[in-house]
Amino acid sequence: MTLEQTLIKAGLDEKQARIYLAGLELGSATVLQISKKSGVKRPTTYVLLDQMVEDGIFIKSAREGRPQYIAARPDDLFRRVHEREEALKASLPELAAIMASTKTRPK
């Protein structure tokens, strides 16, 4: 299994995985540099990087007036995945109760 496939299983989509790997390799980089390295079109890279900054997968800073992006450490990414898993596990009883209250269920 490739690193990209592992990241996809961890919850990233294919383009996010490629962007994250490019960010790890580049260190601090601009959108253009990340776009070229990842093979994801620049406009898409802008959108995905903004989402990934919100999710804590990238850190945004400014150098010489230009935005720079730095990939979060892999252990931070692992912690994020673990937190999502714990949140889902905590809601399982409530989700099961909703399912139990429905009259028709798929067979």
Side-chain angles (χ1 to χ4, degrees):
M1 181 179 304
T2 67
L3 287 175
E4 186 176 324
Q5 291 169 332
T6 302
L7 291 170
I8 291 169
K9 284 191 176 220
L12 300 180
D13 69 27
E14 179 186 342
K15 290 178 182 177
Q16 287 176 324
R18 290 180 9 215
I19 288 170
Y20 181 72
L21 289 172
L24 283 177
E25 289 181 31
L26 293 169
S28 180
T30 65
V31 173
L32 181 60
Q33 292 168 325
I34 294 170
S35 173
K36 285 182 178 180
K37 182 78 174 173
S38 67
V40 177
K41 293 182 180 181
R42 191 172 46 87
T44 304
T45 302
Y46 271 106
V47 172
L48 292 177
L49 276 172
D50 285 341
Q51 290 173 356
M52 293 169 85
V53 166
E54 277 185 37
D55 290 341
I57 301 170
F58 269 86
I59 300 164
K60 184 177 182 180
S61 67
R63 186 185 304 161
E64 300 171 10
R66 292 177 23 184
Q68 298 279 315
Y69 294 87
I70 304 163
R73 296 185 333 229
D75 57 328
D76 290 341
L77 182 62
F78 175 77
R79 191 174 311 112
R80 176 184 165 265
V81 170
H82 183 69
E83 287 170 359
R84 292 171 104 186
E85 182 181 297
E86 290 299 315
L88 181 59
K89 187 186 283 186
S91 11
L92 282 177
E94 188 176 345
L95 294 170
I98 292 170
M99 184 178 176
S101 70
T102 61
K103 298 197 187 277
T104 58
R105 284 187 235 143
K107 295 181 181 187

